[in-house]
Amino acid sequence: MVSTDPQIWIAAFLTLAATSYAFRDNKVFKFAENIFIGVAAGHLVVMGVKNIRDYGWAHLAQGEIIYAVVFLLGILLYTRYHKEYYWLYRYPIAFLVGNGIGISIRAAIHSDFTVQIAQTASPLIASDAMGTINNIILFIGVVTALSHFIFTYEGMHQGVLGYAPKVGRWMILLALGASFGNTVMTRFGMYQGRVVFLLREWLQII
Amino acid sequence: MVDFRRDIPLAITFIIGVIAVLDYYTTIPIFINTFTVIKNWGVVLQAFALGLGAVNLLRVHGRRISERRDDWYFSAVLLAMMFIFIIVGLITGQYESGATYNWLYNAIYLPLGSTMYSSLAFYMAYGAYKVLRARTFEAALLFTTAVLVIIGNTPIFPAMFPGFFHIREWIFGPIVGGAYRGIRIGVGIGAVVLGIRTLIGLETGYLGRR
């Protein structure tokens, strides 16, 4: 028995409309695509207003006058549409860039650098032979993949030393292939979820 | 002479970035307290920037509608849906937790979002069919692990031969782990260098070209 819930019907129609592009570009897909962009933008605006209320207005209402500055900076973002004072939008952008870079530098040093080196600098000999082989492969993978990105020393990619970046490239290709396969299967798994929705929630045949 | 169009933004970037780094590497209260405020301001400014995106959508699609360009009615649908979500989300004062908003979210945003995202699998598979040919040794490497991982992830193959599952697990252990660790260290070095260059004003692309 087919569902009578209008919410399920709308969701089912949009699922089929979004899938229709797999056959060819068509008006139904464009309709769904534009709905999605509009809805996503509307949702982000709603969440943005909520964040402004929680992280800005709430502090200002409690008497933290300094928070008035961020509202001024926020308004300055919109000066980019002004022919004469467009450059004022650089102030809030500079703030966002500084904040983003500060956070990314500390995150990169910790998680991309210190942690990765610390995890690699572990004993190669494991309790079993397979573990030892895996540790050696992993170590070779780290060193050679890293050497592939060294461009400041030309000799790194020539002669005997050139084998290391070459092996590194092979390791990277193997890893990228695995990532590709994994991504494809993850997406198919998600699509399977949509098919299950159509069959179970909408058509109610499983 | 201070150039208000260039020097002040560069100074803002430097000061904010340095405070963010010092907050992490020191225990000096002034940096910790200041960075707490900076984090909140960052969230608020990102929200204002999202509004900028909505304004841009309004300008671009508003123009398409007013000039009656091809498929202008899709632009009307886009703007209508954007305004419906904004009005429903804001008018109740409950934002995303309102009942009507939730209904719309589950009926429209959720199915479209997951279908759009997952249906890319079809194009990826088609692209792989067109491109993934083992013509060279390096292409063969890419092809081999991609196929082995796909087989290992498909329930029927490991059910027939459990070894496929173990091969997939092994690929994600030393092979992917080692290569990605090397990539991450490289990316980390690159991110720090780019960050420092931006903080000291050597990279100024974010200021625009005008």
Side-chain angles (χ1 to χ4, degrees), chain A residues 21 43 78 81 90 134 179, chain B residues 5 48 56 101 123 170 180:
Chain A
Y21 189 74
H43 179 63
Y78 294 84
Y81 297 117
R90 291 174 176 174
N134 285 346
S179 293
Chain B
R5 297 181 181 212
F48 272 102
N56 272 335
Y101 193 89
Y123 317 123
W170 181 76
Y180 270 104

Side-chain angles (χ1 to χ4, degrees), chain B residues 90-147:
Chain B
L90 300 184
I91 210 162
T92 57
Q94 294 178 304
Y95 302 95
E96 85 287 359
S97 52
T100 313
Y101 193 89
N102 249 314
W103 194 93
L104 285 171
Y105 185 90
N106 289 327
I108 303 171
Y109 188 78
L110 207 65
L112 272 179
S114 55
T115 312
M116 291 278 186
Y117 185 77
S118 61
S119 60
L120 288 176
F122 295 116
Y123 317 123
M124 292 176 81
Y126 181 66
Y129 171 73
K130 298 277 279 185
V131 177
L132 273 183
R133 303 281 166 89
R135 290 196 186 99
T136 62
F137 174 67
E138 292 182 347
L141 292 175
L142 196 83
F143 177 80
T144 307
T145 46
V147 169

Side-chain angles (χ1 to χ4, degrees), chain B residues 25-44:
Chain B
Y25 289 105
T26 69
T27 53
I28 302 167
I30 191 168
F31 292 129
I32 294 169
N33 295 335
T34 309
F35 188 62
T36 304
V37 175
I38 287 173
K39 273 191 290 188
N40 286 340
W41 286 22
V43 175
V44 173

